[in-house]
Amino acid sequence: MQPPLVLASASPRRLDLLRQIGCEPAKIDPADVDESPRRGELPRGYALRMARAKLDVVAARHPDAVVLAADSVVAVGRRILPKAEDESTARDCLALLSGRRHKVLGGVAVAAAGRVRIRLVETAVRFKRLEAAEIDAYVRSDEWHGKAGGYAIQGRAAAFVSFLSGSYSNVVGLPLFEAAALLRSAGFPMGTS
């Protein structure tokens, strides 16, 4: 019998993305981990550490399941941008991203039968130079709330993106190509339902 799939995330975007490729988790069990970056931690290492930490917590609770965990990090150079939880943080993030190129780093990890598989996906994104009125309107939309870097590319912020190289789904919240490959390699049937 096929082990159930557990999604270690409360993100509705990740669930929607999995459903987009015909993958329905049997259970959603978010991990509660400290997401504070360590002193001097670089964005790539942070994304991998967060994905693995979430995976470890949830996989311990579901040893007979296939567990998928992920983390998204928005970075400008070596600087990790926060998840925007207030308007001030959202404005700061948007001002920093305005007219600049940044990276979205997606850590994705799968545990099955005691084995862990993990990947890092990097997407380059450039924002146009944002006018103060555009930042004001975007902040009023509240789309930024809880989003890494203070924006959601699948919403109104799509109008800010002048360049994207790499996985679009990674910027939304889960690199689907890599997630599907990891699930297949863990023995979870993809595209058979």
Side-chain angles (χ1 to χ4, degrees):
M1 188 169 119
Q2 174 62 42
L5 175 63
V6 176
L7 176 60
S9 174
S11 165
R13 293 167 308 283
R14 289 195 180 112
L15 180 58
D16 288 345
L17 286 165
L18 279 174
R19 287 175 172 160
Q20 182 182 320
I21 59 170
C23 188
E24 184 70 37
K27 185 172 179 76
I28 296 170
D29 186 6
D32 183 21
V33 298
D34 178 4
E35 296 192 33
S36 305
R38 294 177 178 156
R39 178 183 283 278
E41 189 168 31
L42 297 177
R44 295 170 70 90
Y46 173 70
L48 287 169
R49 180 174 69 82
M50 285 294 95
R52 180 64 191 255
K54 293 173 182 180
L55 182 76
D56 289 347
V57 167
V58 176
R61 295 195 292 243
H62 304 279
D64 297 325
V66 175
V67 179
L68 172 70
D71 194 67
S72 300
V73 175
V74 175
V76 175
R78 298 162 60 100
R79 181 173 176 182
I80 298 168
L81 273 63
K83 285 184 180 166
E85 298 297 344
D86 57 59
E87 287 189 10
S88 174
T89 302
R91 285 180 186 285
D92 290 348
C93 287
L94 292 168
L96 182 64
L97 296 173
S98 175
R100 297 180 77 168
R101 188 171 172 149
H102 62 277
K103 292 178 184 173
V104 178
L105 302 161
V108 59
V110 171
R115 182 161 176 222
V116 171
R117 296 159 176 86
I118 190 162
R119 295 281 181 277
L120 181 72
V121 179
E122 184 175 310
T123 305
V125 181
R126 182 189 306 274
F127 271 18
K128 73 183 202 80
R129 187 161 306 281
L130 301 176
E131 303 292 332
E134 291 174 303
I135 292 175
D136 289 344
Y138 190 73
V139 169
R140 281 194 307 274
S141 79
D142 205 39
E143 282 186 354
W144 51 267
H145 195 267
K147 308 292 192 304
Y151 76 94
I153 195 170
Q154 69 276 22
R156 296 175 186 201
F160 302 159
V161 178
S162 63
F163 171 85
L164 186 143
S165 177
S167 169
Y168 172 81
S169 65
N170 182 47
V171 184
V172 178
L174 182 67
L176 288 177
F177 178 83
E178 291 77 9
L182 288 176
L183 288 168
R184 273 193 302 273
S185 72
F188 191 82
M190 294 297 300
T192 58
S193 56

